Amino acid sequence: IGKPVAPKRNRPGRRSTLDLGDFQEEKQSNSEPRRRVTSLCDLRQIRNESSKLNPESKESQIPNISNKKPAREITKNYFSSRSLDDIKLDKDTTSENNLISNDQIEFAKRQLRSGSFESCIKMCDAVLKLDNYNAETYFVKACAESEMGCFSKSSLTLASIPKKSQTSQQLKFLIGDLMELCQTLLVIENLKHNDSYKQIIEITNRMKTGKSNKFVLLARAKSFFGLGDTEMAIREATAVLEKENRNVHALIVRAKALFLNADLKKSLEDCQTALKVDPFSHRAAAVCNRVRNVHELLTEAERKTGKKAFKKAIKLLSKAIHIAGVISKSSLIFRKLYLLRSEAHCRNESYNDALEDSNLILRSNNEEDMKAWKIKIKAMKKMELSKELAKELAKVVKPGMWGSSHCLLIQAYEEARSVSKKKRRETCSSTIPLCQTDKRLSSARCA
């Protein structure tokens, strides 16, 4: 207490804030002792001595704290001090840019083949910044956009190729084919909204190139399904899945077609694979629920009919028909559902309902369905409608008709005809005496 205390900066044994540590001059001789900087005066003295010793050395070797310039001034001085030769050298780097762009194009092609189209487009954009006249880059970018389904973008990319760009004859043909494909696919998309499936098939049949494109095949599959040709729809959808086995749209189309063909197990498999690829697809989930419910109800109904519980089977089949919804009457699933229900009605001795279901099958482009005819004949016999049965069978059993070769139909027709004749005779025999008495009474009244 009472002793004067030196400030922290000037305390003995401590370095000041201006102390830059052990400073060593350029090693002219190894015998020179090290000098310690203790103040700003020492620093200036060292700098002066070093400039006297080496007049060619720059002042920037020792940091000058007082002469700091802002970054903008430094960059401005740098660019102004650069000679024209340096700028020319920077501009003449086309060979390096070409090497970089070629590597990037190859990488973009690999990305296109692997299926990562977004990264391919980004890489193509980066190449076009370096070389705006590279036609191959435009083509690769357009291919990636068309694979993503952006046909309008792809056609715009192809249209924006500069005329001065050097293109080979083969590349010109490829660009022309891709442009034609994109334009036809845009037309097909417009036709889809109007449900003009026949026109889509006609356009795709007329195509010279691009018939094997997945979007063309998918459009054909959807149009065939819309027209009710399930076999062709399955074939076209399978062709799409051979190229891209994770295509959700093709899986859904094939699942629907298989469902209409009453192949419920394969249809359910396709729905499940579609949901694995895209778990948030509402269409795939709806089709999957529909197919699963109908399949479960059908199997349960068949089990109940085997146990002779016909009423329960009829309820289950009616529920399955309701879940199946609006389906084409010419489809196999329609036939299967209504045929099973008509059989159950017939065994349950509700012949009127059995006759209705069998007639639905026969009227829906299935006139030659022998199982439906058997149920109808049995139901009409039990209901004693031999005259009506004979009339309907007479149309089918005519010479030249499809039923003229079926022994079962011919036999049923002859039996129904003989029964109707017997009934007619019985009615005539019972009505003859009444007619005679009526005549006698009328003659007596006249007299």
Side-chain angles (χ1 to χ4, degrees):
I1 298 165
K3 288 182 180 180
V5 180
K8 286 185 178 180
R9 289 184 182 178
N10 301 324
R11 276 185 195 175
R14 286 181 178 270
R15 292 181 183 179
S16 66
T17 51
L18 296 169
D19 186 7
L20 300 174
D22 296 333
F23 179 82
Q24 190 177 2
E25 289 181 352
E26 291 183 356
K27 292 183 179 180
Q28 291 179 357
S29 62
N30 296 326
S31 61
E32 284 187 8
R34 290 183 180 180
R35 294 178 64 182
R36 189 176 182 79
V37 180
T38 55
S39 63
L40 188 61
C41 297
D42 294 339
L43 187 64
R44 282 172 184 166
Q45 193 178 352
I46 290 160
R47 190 167 60 196
N48 291 329
E49 286 174 10
S50 64
S51 62
K52 284 175 186 177
L53 288 166
N54 297 318
E56 293 179 359
S57 65
K58 294 179 181 178
E59 288 183 4
S60 62
Q61 287 179 355
I62 300 161
N64 191 358
I65 298 161
S66 60
N67 294 329
K68 275 193 174 181
K69 290 181 181 180
R72 285 182 185 176
E73 269 189 52
I74 293 161
T75 51
K76 197 186 286 183
N77 294 333
Y78 170 69
F79 284 115
S80 62
S81 65
R82 291 183 76 192
S83 62
L84 291 166
D85 296 329
D86 293 338
I87 294 161
K88 280 177 185 176
L89 281 167
D90 283 348
K91 283 186 176 178
D92 292 335
T93 56
T94 52
S95 59
E96 289 179 9
N97 286 345
N98 283 330
L99 287 169
I100 292 160
S101 64
N102 286 330
D103 291 338
Q104 286 175 330
I105 289 162
E106 289 299 320
F107 180 75
K109 284 178 182 176
R110 273 185 259 126
Q111 292 290 323
L112 183 65
R113 288 190 207 102
S114 64
S116 54
F117 305 120
E118 288 179 1
S119 60
C120 175
I121 290 161
K122 284 178 184 176
M123 189 56 67
C124 288
D125 288 332
V127 172
L128 290 169
K129 283 177 183 177
L130 294 170
D131 186 6
N132 197 24
Y133 291 95
N134 198 325
E136 192 180 2
T137 311
Y138 284 103
F139 177 70
V140 172
K141 186 185 176 183
C143 285
E145 284 169 345
S146 66
E147 286 291 322
M148 287 175 75
C150 306
F151 308 117
S152 56
K153 281 185 180 180
S154 180
S155 57
L156 284 168
T157 304
L158 291 169
S160 61
I161 296 169
K163 291 179 181 178
K164 293 179 182 179
S165 59
Q166 294 178 357
T167 53
S168 61
Q169 198 68 27
Q170 188 182 1
L171 188 61
K172 279 180 182 177
F173 282 126
L174 290 169
I175 288 163
D177 291 340
L178 186 61
M179 181 67 91
E180 189 184 347
L181 178 67
C182 289
Q183 286 172 357
T184 50
L185 284 165
L186 284 167
V187 171
I188 286 164
E189 277 189 349
N190 292 326
L191 289 168
K192 274 182 195 175
H193 298 298
N194 300 325
D195 296 337
S196 53
Y197 301 119
K198 285 183 180 179
Q199 289 182 11
I200 290 166
I201 291 161
E202 285 173 6
I203 288 163
T204 51
N205 286 332
R206 273 188 263 129
M207 283 175 74
K208 292 177 182 177
T209 54
K211 280 185 179 180
S212 60
N213 184 271
K214 65 177 182 180
F215 291 103
V216 175
L217 292 167
L218 188 62
R220 282 174 67 83
K222 284 179 179 178
S223 54
F224 277 122
F225 180 78
L227 292 167
D229 194 349
T230 51
E231 293 295 331
M232 285 296 291
I234 289 162
R235 197 177 79 179
E236 297 293 334
T238 308
V240 176
L241 291 165
E242 282 173 3
K243 295 191 169 194
E244 189 183 348
N245 59 353
R246 293 171 67 83
N247 195 313
V248 178
H249 298 288
L251 285 164
I252 290 165
V253 170
R254 195 170 75 172
K256 283 180 177 180
L258 288 165
F259 174 72
L260 289 178
N261 280 2
D263 198 348
L264 300 175
K265 285 183 180 178
K266 286 183 180 178
S267 177
L268 197 62
E269 284 174 8
D270 281 347
C271 291
Q272 285 168 355
T273 49
L275 283 170
K276 280 178 186 176
V277 174
D278 187 6
F280 302 103
S281 177
H282 296 292
R283 287 178 68 196
V287 174
C288 190
N289 288 330
R290 182 187 175 193
V291 173
R292 191 191 291 112
N293 290 329
V294 171
H295 180 60
E296 287 173 1
L297 288 164
L298 265 173
T299 50
E300 188 65 24
E302 285 171 356
R303 198 169 63 80
K304 292 288 180 186
T305 49
K307 290 181 178 180
K308 296 181 180 180
F310 301 118
K311 285 184 179 179
K312 289 181 179 179
I314 289 159
K315 282 182 181 178
L316 290 166
L317 288 162
S318 300
K319 197 175 179 182
I321 288 162
H322 178 71
I323 289 163
V326 180
I327 49 175
S328 63
K329 291 181 179 179
S330 60
S331 62
L332 292 171
I333 192 70
F334 181 88
R335 178 188 173 273
K336 189 174 185 178
L337 288 167
Y338 279 94
L339 192 67
L340 284 168
R341 197 171 75 169
S342 64
E343 282 178 4
H345 278 306
C346 200
R347 289 188 181 185
N348 198 38
E349 297 181 359
S350 54
Y351 300 113
N352 197 7
D353 295 327
L355 186 63
E356 281 181 10
D357 286 345
S358 60
N359 280 328
L360 275 169
I361 295 160
L362 293 166
R363 284 169 194 164
S364 58
N365 300 323
N366 291 316
E367 291 180 1
E368 299 179 14
D369 197 334
M370 288 304 297
K371 285 185 177 180
W373 271 110
K374 281 179 183 178
I375 293 161
K376 186 176 181 176
I377 290 160
K378 188 179 179 181
M380 288 183 89
K381 278 180 180 178
K382 293 287 182 181
M383 291 167 74
E384 297 179 355
L385 298 169
S386 54
K387 189 179 179 181
E388 288 82 0
L389 181 61
K391 280 182 181 179
E392 288 191 16
L393 286 168
K395 295 173 186 176
V396 178
V397 181
K398 277 181 185 178
M401 295 294 288
W402 66 270
S404 59
S405 59
H406 286 280
C407 298
L408 190 136
L409 293 174
I410 293 160
Q411 190 179 352
Y413 170 67
E414 286 173 356
E415 284 177 6
R417 197 179 174 187
S418 62
V419 169
S420 63
K421 279 181 180 180
K422 278 180 184 179
K423 282 185 178 179
R424 200 183 294 166
R425 282 170 191 168
E426 285 172 4
T427 52
C428 287
S429 62
S430 61
T431 54
I432 283 164
L434 289 165
C435 294
Q436 287 175 359
T437 51
D438 287 337
K439 281 178 183 179
R440 285 170 189 171
L441 283 164
S442 62
S443 60
R445 279 172 188 171
C446 287

